[in-house]
């Protein structure tokens, strides 16, 4: 779909009626690589992507998130029935809380609202070294800062050498590097671990 | 025999992850502007393992058999998910990833595979290609 057409569709979808808000993802597959697979994108090298937002939630009004970017930019982000939401795992809008950090991808409406295709709440991607392993906790060094990584039963998975994810973390080793995808606990140095990538010995 | 230098004038493939830079929330808040000084999570930026001698000494893609050409701050690549059709232009604004930590790691999609981490994207760039929660995706790269 042409980008302009997509915006016009989303504008009418989001702003049309209060009871028939449809998802940005009604345009196609839920898979991000196909949801956004409609064009080539080239911006000025240092331009901010207009269809992306980063920041922390400062207010929630109905299905609209008020977000203050880390660069102080203010965003209004419209969540629809088709918006995919991640917070440690795929979840629903009611998990969003004031204070959460987020990244959002969607389509910017003429009124400045970002109609969200996908929102990732508190997501972090940390390149770390494992300092210690305790019961249900990994102590991690992230560029000289200590991070406490919580293992979440039924959710946390490990990927060793690119093989399929498994729940067995026993191959993790103190002193080794690990990449952690997880959900930050706001205003702490703690994360809940979704996936830990490591090189098995 | 050593692999020929990856000119990436013709497409090559690689694993890609994402990193934050510039103003950011949480543990990302200390990331700063990257090796080029102007990296921003909300821009279509990337990290490349051979932006300088100092960068190469850290990332060491050669240890994985990848002889990457020197590409410095401001160079643009065109990248695409191996299972996607969207191609985006990304600009080098940082040094990375640390390729040698992950030698031999492989990601496949639709029967096509990519080996070794040769590029990282900002969240804005990564989300034009895939989901942040995927962590790592296979991509093609060309100049």
């Amino acid at each position: 779909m042409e980008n302009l057409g997509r915006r016009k569709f989303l504008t009418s979808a989001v702003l049309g009626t209060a009871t028939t808000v449809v998802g940005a993802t009604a345009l196609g597959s839920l898979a991000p690589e196909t949801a956004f697979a409609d064009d080539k994108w080239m911006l000025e090298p240092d331009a901010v992507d207009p269809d992306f937002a980063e920041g922390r939630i400062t207010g929630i009004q109905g299905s609209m998130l008020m977000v203050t970017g880390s660069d102080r930019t203010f965003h209004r982000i419209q969540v629809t029935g088709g918006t995919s939401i991640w917070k440690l795992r795929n979840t629903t809008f009611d998990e969003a809380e004031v204070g959460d950090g987020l990244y959002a991808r969607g389509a910017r409406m003429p009124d400045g609202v970002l109609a969200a295709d996908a929102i990732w709440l508190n997501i972090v991607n940390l390149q770390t070294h494992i300092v210690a392993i305790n019961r249900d906790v990994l102590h991690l060094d992230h560029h000289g800062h200590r991070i406490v990584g919580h293992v979440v039963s039924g959710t946390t998975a490990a990927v060793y050498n690119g093989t399929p994810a498994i729940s067995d973390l026993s191959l993790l080793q103190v002193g080794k590097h690990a990449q952690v995808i997880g959900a930050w606990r706001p205003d702490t140095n703690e994360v809940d671990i979704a996936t830990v990538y490591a090189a098995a010995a | 025999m050593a692999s020929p230098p990856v000119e990436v004038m013709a497409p090559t493939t690689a694993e890609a992850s994402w990193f934050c830079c510039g103003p950011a929330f949480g543990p990302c808040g200390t990331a700063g502007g990257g090796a080029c000084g102007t990296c921003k999570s909300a821009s279509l930026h990337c990290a490349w393992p051979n932006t300088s001698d100092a960068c190469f000494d850290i990332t060491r893609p050669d240890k994985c058999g990848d002889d990457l050409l020197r590409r410095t701050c401001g160079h643009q690549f065109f990248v695409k998910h191996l299972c996607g059709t969207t191609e985006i232009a990304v600009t080098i604004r940082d040094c990375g990833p640390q390729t040698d930590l992950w030698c031999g790691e492989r990601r496949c999609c639709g029967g096509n595979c990519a080996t070794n981490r040769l590029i990282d994207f900002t969240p804005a760039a990564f989300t034009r290609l895939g989901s942040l929660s995927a962590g790592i995706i296979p991509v093609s790269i060309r100049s």
Side-chain angles (χ1 to χ4, degrees), chain A residues 32-33 36-43 45-49 51-52 54-56 70-71 86 101-103 105 120 122-127 142 145 159 162 177 179 181 184 197-198, chain B residues 17-18 20 23-27 30 38 40-45 76 78 81 85-89 91 93 101-102 105-107 117 123-124 127-136:
Chain A
E33 60 270 22
F36 309 124
D38 55 1
D39 49 20
K40 291 180 182 292
W41 267 93
M42 188 168 184
L43 302 173
D46 290 320
V48 169
D49 187 330
D51 297 325
F52 178 84
E54 176 276 346
R56 295 186 69 174
S70 299
D71 62 356
W86 185 97
L102 66 72
Y103 297 109
R105 162 66 61 195
W120 297 267
N122 296 331
I123 193 166
V124 293
N125 183 6
L126 306 173
Q127 300 292 336
H142 176 242
H145 298 276
V159 174
H177 61 277
Q179 176 186 355
I181 297 285
W184 175 54
Y197 298 86
Chain B
S17 189
W18 58 274
C20 47
F25 66 84
T30 58
T38 54
K40 287 182 293 201
S41 290
S43 297
L44 302 184
H45 291 165
Q76 282 195 319
F78 295 88
H81 191 296
T85 57
T86 297
E87 185 173 65
I88 65 170
T91 303
R93 285 289 182 257
L101 290 180
W102 308 96
E105 190 186 59
R106 194 167 77 139
R107 281 286 179 286
R117 301 188 184 195
T127 56
R128 285 213 174 268
L129 305 174
S131 173
L132 293 176
S133 56
I136 303 164

Side-chain angles (χ1 to χ4, degrees), chain B residues 35 47-71 94-103 116-120:
Chain B
W48 181 248
N50 190 8
T51 60
S52 66
D53 287 345
C55 171
F56 185 84
D57 286 346
I58 296 169
T59 61
R60 298 301 304 269
D62 58 310
K63 288 186 175 179
C64 302
D66 289 307
D67 191 6
L68 300 185
L69 291 181
R70 176 70 46 87
R71 294 293 184 228
D94 204 353
C95 164
Q98 194 169 346
T99 307
D100 68 337
L101 290 180
W102 308 96
C103 285
N116 293 338
R117 301 188 184 195
L118 303 183
I119 196 166
D120 274 353

Side-chain angles (χ1 to χ4, degrees), chain A residues 48-168:
Chain A
V48 169
D49 187 330
D51 297 325
F52 178 84
E54 176 276 346
R56 295 186 69 174
I57 299 173
T58 50
I60 302 174
Q61 296 178 6
S63 57
M64 187 81 80
L65 298 175
M66 310 300 166
V67 172
T68 300
S70 299
D71 62 356
R72 312 310 297 170
T73 302
F74 181 68
H75 301 280
R76 288 175 297 153
I77 300 175
Q78 178 69 57
V79 177
T80 76
T83 304
S84 72
I85 298 175
W86 185 97
K87 190 175 186 180
L88 186 61
R89 59 184 75 84
N90 292 325
T91 186
T92 52
F93 178 58
D94 56 6
E95 291 287 312
E97 298 176 83
V98 171
D100 283 346
L102 66 72
Y103 297 109
R105 162 66 61 195
R108 189 73 67 173
M109 300 293 104
D111 63 357
V113 170
L114 181 71
D117 286 300
I119 295 173
W120 297 267
L121 295 166
N122 296 331
I123 193 166
V124 293
N125 183 6
L126 306 173
Q127 300 292 336
T128 71
H129 279 82
I130 301 173
V131 176
I133 301 175
N134 294 339
R135 178 180 169 84
D136 296 334
V137 173
L138 301 181
H139 295 274
L140 306 165
D141 178 87
H142 176 242
H143 303 306
H145 298 276
R146 192 60 61 90
I147 299 286
V148 178
H150 296 274
V151 176
V152 180
S153 178
T155 297
T156 302
V159 174
Y160 301 105
N161 299 334
T163 55
I166 57 175
S167 60
D168 180 9

